[in-house]
């Protein structure tokens, strides 16, 4: 593909987005209004589960037990407090039986049983003051939630002489969903004004500051509409809404910062508005496009996992990234065309500078010199490159040490302790956990199919009871060709011994077909599903990222550096997740209950999101270094120039995104808190440590070899690759291999920036 053709396409794109800017903005306004309507109520249609593998043996057993033995899978618990009389008091028992009968008569409720009917010890508190009524609400998550909303007010509170609280898995999920939606609204109310203030500080101009915020709002509203449509065909986790807000604001700010900054640079150099928009799209626009693709690929990798919790983040993330990029590349240029030099209007910094005119961020005067290689970030880069081995070793060692706690990670499942301590569903579960015998929620159910004799069932029960990790076996409960046993483990619900017991039960021979479910079984299957597909997901991220960065740079080494340094930048996040949320340090300050483990899917989610965001900043820096290297052929100067021109931009974008993620991290649900605070830490570490110290140190050590590529790959890049542009002497292409020949990694033509604007 010739440079002229590529430039012509960019020129055509410039004409397309700037031909009728008012019409473009009007159409965008109408589409956004429709998105508000289409996306309304999306949170109510989302689920709060999705951690299990739908194709797993445990999932099959759960559905079969729900169908054949509804009472074996209760998801609704009514905790009945006898008010000091004791649950065996005749008056209390009579009132409780009437309550049980009322619950059994409700539509959508099956398998109702209570202590007063069964006299089962597990349904009676050890002190005799409380007892349980258990039932199952049937239907999908949404249907079960609607049934709970309908019946809970009828049973909650004072019922004659009894005091009743509503709990159980369905209540935990429903309350978690409601709290997440409330917390998300609060996070948006925090993040939006703080983001606006920070943007004003970065740009000075209130007009320029409003542009990224507008792009972010468009992306968020559009993604809500997309998610609303997806809920019609598949399950979507309510947690994905948090990612929509965070990435919508964060990436829109990133992209708009980059584009507006470059546009203002062009205006400051005396370029006409239309030409400034064209140059901005040809340079910063290309970078934004590649950045969006790298982030989208990282998020798309979660599609390979079967859990809809992870897939939901892929749906939301891909939609919001592409919408943010589309808005930045279509709506933003139209707005810049209309604003022109007024983009610098309402410079609020003059209020604090006695009217002194401030230089436009990113121009030569702001940098300290006309070539933009001096100034604070330029001096930092020069210092790092003078002591490159020291900075490279010290920074890499520090990041590895911060990640060491992750070596002790323990995986578990989300439970009621994710909720705040005042939540009713959690209070019920805490009372059951502390006051009732056995290990509530820790039992394993073994489903038997195909029919068997009483002797065969008894033989199987006796062999299972003899296993070292088994406390007791109840059953079998038989219905036709189906039966089930309840196996109570000696250990906790999901500890290593109980997980080992799951595998032992599955390996135990029987005269009938068996399948095992229960909390530990779901965890074992979830870990297996993630472990099986993790190499594929990682491979997709790595291979596509390497290809995209190569197409941007034409270098073999830079893509490898980008992937390696990005992965290194995430170590602090993973170490902090274990140290804080698993081990419980700072739990009092942050206000959560540590459970001693990390939900299995969270590290995968956090890696995909944080890796994509790190690549976002990496592409911004690398593209500007590449542009200067194309122009000058001076490797060290290009690194200093790139960091000087983007260091402040990347830091500002990272701080703004971190603010958004911290706002998400104020959630009262522990997993959401972990997601927000963990990614905020990763973003800050990447921008302020990896991009500022490690990247220039490593690029100094690799020298001009940084830009090398073998002949076939160089020709591939000449044909299919792109770059931010910027003309440079033809001799530079040959100089890149240090010989003056034609083996340099960089190719191009002096006419590159004469076309396409």
């Amino acid at each position: 593909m010739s440079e002229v053709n590529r430039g012509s396409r960019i020129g055509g794109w410039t004409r397309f987005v700037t031909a009728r800017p008012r019409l473009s903005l009007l159409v965008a306004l109408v589409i956004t209004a429709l998105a508000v309507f289409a996306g309304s109520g999306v949170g109510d249609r989302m689920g709060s589960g999705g951690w299990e593998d739908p194709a797993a043996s445990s999932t099959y057993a759960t559905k079969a037990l729900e169908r054949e033995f509804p009472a074996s899978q209760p998801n609704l618990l009514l905790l009945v407090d006898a008010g000091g009389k004791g649950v065996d008091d005749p008056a209390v028992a009579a009132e409780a039986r009437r309550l049980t009968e009322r619950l059994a008569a409700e539509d959508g409720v099956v398998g109702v049983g209570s202590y007063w009917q069964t006299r089962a010890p597990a349904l009676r508190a050890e002190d005799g003051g409380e007892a349980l009524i258990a039932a199952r609400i049937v239907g999908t998550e949404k249907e079960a939630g609607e049934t709970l909303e309908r019946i809970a007010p009828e049973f909650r509170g004072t019922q004659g002489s009894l005091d009743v609280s509503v709990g159980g898995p369905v209540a935990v999920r429903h309350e978690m969903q409601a709290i997440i939606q409330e917390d998300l609204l609060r996070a948006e109310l925090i993040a939006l004004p703080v983001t606006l203030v920070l943007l004003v500080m970065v740009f000075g101009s209130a007009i320029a500051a409003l542009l990224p915020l507008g792009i972010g709002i468009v992306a968020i509203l559009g993604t809500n509409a997309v998610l609303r449509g997806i809920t019609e065909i598949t399950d979507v986790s309510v947690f994905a809404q948090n990612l929509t807000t965070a990435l919508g604001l964060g990436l829109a700010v990133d992209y708009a910062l980059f584009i507006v900054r470059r546009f203002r640079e062009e205006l400051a150099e005396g370029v006409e508005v239309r030409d400034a928009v064209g140059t901005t799209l040809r340079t910063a626009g290309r970078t934004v496009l590649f950045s969006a693709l790298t982030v989208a690929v990282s998020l798309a990798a979660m599609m390979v996992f079967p859990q809809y919790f992870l897939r939901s983040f892929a749906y939301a993330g891909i939609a919001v990234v592409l919408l943010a990029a589309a808005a930045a590349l279509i709506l933003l240029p139209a707005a810049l065309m209309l604003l022109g030099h007024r983009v610098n209007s309402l410079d609020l910094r003059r209020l604090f500078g006695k009217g002194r005119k401030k230089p436009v961020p990113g121009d030569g005067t702001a940098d300290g010199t006309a070539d933009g290689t001096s100034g604070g970030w330029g001096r930092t880069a020069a210092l790092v490159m003078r002591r490159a081995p020291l900075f490279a070793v010290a920074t890499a060692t520090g990041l590895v040490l911060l990640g060491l706690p992750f070596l002790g990670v323990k995986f578990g499942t989300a439970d009621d302790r994710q909720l705040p301590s005042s939540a009713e569903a959690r209070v019920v579960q805490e009372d059951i956990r502390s006051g009732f015998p056995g290990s509530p929620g820790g039992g394993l159910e073994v489903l038997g199919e195909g029919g068997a004799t009483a002797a065969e069932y008894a033989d199987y029960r006796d062999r299972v009871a003899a296993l070292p990790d088994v406390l007791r076996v109840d059953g079998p409960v038989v219905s036709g060709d189906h039966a089930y046993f309840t196996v109570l483990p000696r250990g906790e619900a999901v500890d290593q011994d109980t997980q080992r017991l799951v595998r032992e039960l599955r390996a135990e021979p029987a005269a009938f077909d068996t399948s095992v479910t229960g909390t530990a079984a779901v965890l074992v299957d979830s870990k297996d599903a993630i472990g099986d597909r993790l190499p594929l997901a990682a491979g997709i991220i790595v291979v596509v990222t390497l290809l995209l960065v190569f197409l941007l740079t034409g270098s073999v080494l830079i893509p490898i550096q980008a992937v390696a340094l990005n992965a290194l930048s995430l170590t602090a996040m993973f170490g902090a997740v274990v140290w804080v949320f698993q081990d419980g340090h700072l739990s009092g300050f942050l206000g959560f209950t540590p459970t001693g483990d990390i939900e299995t899917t969270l590290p995968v989610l956090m890696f995909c999101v944080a890796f994509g965001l790190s690549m976002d900043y990496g592409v911004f820096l690398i593209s500007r270094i590449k542009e200067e290297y194309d122009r000058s052929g001076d490797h060290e100067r290009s690194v200093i120039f790139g960091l000087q021109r983007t260091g402040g931009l990347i830091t500002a974008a990272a701080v703004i995104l971190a603010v958004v993620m911290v706002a998400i991290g104020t959630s009262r649900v522990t997993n959401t808190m972990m997601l927000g605070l963990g990614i905020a830490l990763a973003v800050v570490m990447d921008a302020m440590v990896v991009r500022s110290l490690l990247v220039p140190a490593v690029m100094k050590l690799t020298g001009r070899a940084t830009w090398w590529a073998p002949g076939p790959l160089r020709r591939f890049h000449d044909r299919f690759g792109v770059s931010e542009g910027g003309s440079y002497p033809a001799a530079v292409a040959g100089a890149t291999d240090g010989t003056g020949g034609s083996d340099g990694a960089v190719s191009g033509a002096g006419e590159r920036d004469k076309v396409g604007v």
Side-chain angles (χ1 to χ4, degrees), residues 116-132:
W116 295 275
Q117 292 174 320
T118 66
R119 293 293 171 175
L123 298 178
R124 180 183 183 274
E126 292 176 334
D127 64 4
E130 296 173 318
L132 292 172

Side-chain angles (χ1 to χ4, degrees), residues 223-380:
T223 302
N224 283 338
V226 172
L227 291 178
R228 175 64 174 78
I230 294 175
T231 60
E232 295 289 341
I233 56 177
T234 189
D235 293 321
V236 179
S237 172
V238 69
F239 287 93
Q241 276 194 301
N242 296 294
L243 186 68
T244 297
T245 296
L247 289 186
L249 279 178
L251 291 177
V253 166
D254 287 357
Y255 299 156
L257 272 174
F258 206 60
I259 287 176
V260 173
R261 173 71 66 92
R262 188 58 184 259
F263 177 72
R264 296 175 81 188
E265 286 183 23
E266 296 299 321
L267 291 183
E269 293 174 4
V271 178
E272 293 296 324
V273 171
R274 183 175 294 274
D275 291 341
V277 171
T279 301
T280 298
L281 286 175
R282 191 187 71 243
T283 55
R286 284 174 170 175
T287 301
V288 165
L289 179 60
F290 267 75
S291 172
L293 290 175
T294 57
V295 177
V297 166
S298 295
L299 297 171
M302 287 185 284
M303 292 287 289
V304 306
F305 297 101
Q307 294 91 338
Y308 86 73
F309 175 80
L310 288 175
R311 297 171 71 90
S312 298
F313 285 92
Y315 305 147
I318 294 171
V320 78
V321 168
L322 296 182
L323 286 171
L329 295 175
I330 298 174
L331 303 183
L332 189 54
L336 294 176
M337 277 291 297
L338 294 176
L339 288 171
H341 289 274
R342 287 173 294 179
V343 73
N344 297 318
S345 300
L346 298 179
D347 191 343
L348 301 183
R349 292 178 301 185
R350 294 184 180 184
L351 299 175
F352 306 98
K354 299 181 181 180
R356 181 171 58 88
K357 186 180 185 300
K358 299 290 183 181
V360 175
D363 68 6
T365 58
D367 293 331
T369 63
D371 65 3
T373 58
S374 183
W377 288 104
R379 287 192 294 271
T380 298

Side-chain angles (χ1 to χ4, degrees), residues 373-636:
T373 58
S374 183
W377 288 104
R379 287 192 294 271
T380 298
L383 172 63
V384 169
M385 296 180 79
R386 285 197 300 271
R387 302 286 188 270
L390 174 63
F391 277 98
V393 172
T395 304
T397 301
L399 290 172
V400 170
L401 291 176
L402 289 174
L404 288 180
F406 193 72
L407 296 177
V409 65
K410 299 176 182 177
F411 295 109
T413 57
D415 59 21
D416 58 280
R417 289 171 291 180
Q418 294 282 316
L419 295 171
S421 57
S422 59
E424 180 187 25
R426 175 173 173 177
V427 171
V428 170
Q429 296 303 124
E430 292 282 10
D431 282 355
I432 296 173
R433 188 179 292 113
S434 61
F436 285 70
S439 177
L444 299 171
E445 283 80 32
V446 180
L447 172 69
E449 296 179 288
T453 65
E456 289 171 331
Y457 283 138
D459 175 66
Y460 177 79
R461 181 190 59 209
D462 292 342
R463 283 187 285 108
V464 169
L467 294 174
D469 294 316
V470 173
L471 178 64
R472 188 176 80 246
V473 180
D474 296 331
V477 178
V478 182
S479 175
D481 290 339
H482 295 79
Y484 81 91
F485 303 80
T486 300
V487 181
L488 297 180
R490 293 185 182 276
E492 296 296 326
V494 293
D495 65 13
Q496 293 300 315
D497 291 340
T498 306
Q499 293 179 52
R500 183 174 62 250
L501 177 58
V502 171
R503 300 189 187 279
E504 291 173 350
L505 290 173
R506 288 173 173 171
E508 187 69 30
F512 44 89
D513 295 330
T514 63
S515 51
V516 182
T517 188
T519 305
V522 172
L523 174 59
V524 168
D525 290 338
S526 180
K527 289 168 62 175
D528 288 347
I530 290 175
D532 290 344
R533 293 164 177 81
L534 193 58
L536 175 60
I540 291 172
I541 292 174
V542 170
V543 170
V544 179
T545 299
L546 290 174
L547 177 61
L548 288 173
V549 178
F550 172 77
L551 290 175
L552 184 66
T553 64
S555 162
V556 169
L557 193 56
I558 288 180
I560 298 173
Q561 287 179 357
V563 170
L565 299 186
N566 271 19
L568 192 60
S569 72
L570 307 184
T571 54
M573 175 185 72
F574 285 122
V577 161
V578 171
W579 191 78
V580 175
F581 291 95
Q582 175 180 294
D583 299 340
H585 299 97
L586 304 181
S587 59
F589 174 73
L590 295 175
F592 69 92
T593 301
T595 59
D597 52 46
I598 301 297
E599 203 285 316
T600 312
T601 59
L602 258 295
V604 175
L605 168 63
M606 296 176 75
F607 173 82
C608 292
V609 174
F611 187 90
L613 293 174
S614 297
M615 279 305 308
D616 186 44
Y617 301 137
V619 168
F620 286 172
L621 175 59
I622 291 169
S623 63
R624 204 63 193 266
I625 293 174
K626 173 67 162 56
E627 180 184 357
E628 178 61 18
Y629 187 72
D630 285 353
R631 190 191 67 82
S632 68
D634 187 327
H635 174 68
E636 290 191 22

